Amino acid sequence: MDIGRRSLAAVLIVLMAVGSILLWLGIPVGWLYLVSRLVKSSQPSMGPYVLLLVGIPASMVVVGKGLSKLNRAYASLMGTTSTRRTRSSWMKSMRGERDSGRPRSVLDVVMVWSVALALLCFGVWFFAFAGSSLPT
């Protein structure tokens, strides 16, 4: 494998990692910041809540589709594209075989690590910075 393909593969992995972190951390924080700037009152109407409830999932779908395209580009670059259809493990019988039959992709690993990082960041924020509303 030449240096160009290896470099492009590394760039695709970094883009998937950045996109995964954006998916779990950047999008929710960005939408909360945007909506907080649009609201002028401490008692907002229902509009900002609806904007959050629609904007965050819609943005996550768009970023998820982009991550899927990056994963397909990485798989075709590395020659690991699968041509056979497999049934997802959640659609199989409990008595069926436990292996999904699909090899783990780079995006699978990146997403697991990004979710773990997001949960860690949430835990640090919640226990260290969120504060308590209980009177002292």
Side-chain angles (χ1 to χ4, degrees), residues 19-29 60 67 110-112 114-116 118:
S20 297
I21 292 171
L22 175 72
L23 186 71
W24 302 116
L25 293 174
I27 289 175
V29 170
M60 287 181 161
L67 287 171
V110 167
M111 289 296 284
V112 167
S114 69
V115 168

Side-chain angles (χ1 to χ4, degrees), residues 2 15 22 27 29 33 35 39 41 44 47 50 58 67 69 78 90 107 112 125 127 134:
D2 63 347
L15 286 174
L22 175 72
I27 289 175
V29 170
Y33 178 78
V35 170
V39 174
S41 160
V50 172
L67 287 171
K69 287 182 181 183
M78 301 306 284
W90 63 272
L107 184 59
V112 167
W125 169 81
F127 291 112
L134 297 175

Side-chain angles (χ1 to χ4, degrees), residues 27-92:
I27 289 175
V29 170
W31 274 100
L32 286 171
Y33 178 78
L34 176 72
V35 170
S36 73
R37 292 296 175 200
L38 294 175
V39 174
K40 302 296 183 209
S41 160
S42 64
Q43 296 294 325
S45 64
M46 197 64 170
Y49 297 114
V50 172
L51 186 61
L52 283 175
L53 287 174
V54 171
I56 291 175
S59 300
M60 287 181 161
V61 166
V62 170
V63 171
K65 296 277 187 185
L67 287 171
S68 177
K69 287 182 181 183
L70 287 172
N71 188 46
R72 282 193 302 273
Y74 178 84
S76 68
L77 178 71
M78 301 306 284
T80 58
T81 55
S82 177
T83 57
R84 65 183 175 108
R85 290 181 60 101
T86 58
R87 177 174 275 193
S88 298
S89 58
W90 63 272
M91 293 180 70
K92 290 183 179 180

Side-chain angles (χ1 to χ4, degrees), residues 7-24:
S7 299
L8 184 57
V11 167
L12 288 172
I13 292 172
V14 167
L15 286 174
M16 282 189 267
V18 168
S20 297
I21 292 171
L22 175 72
L23 186 71
W24 302 116

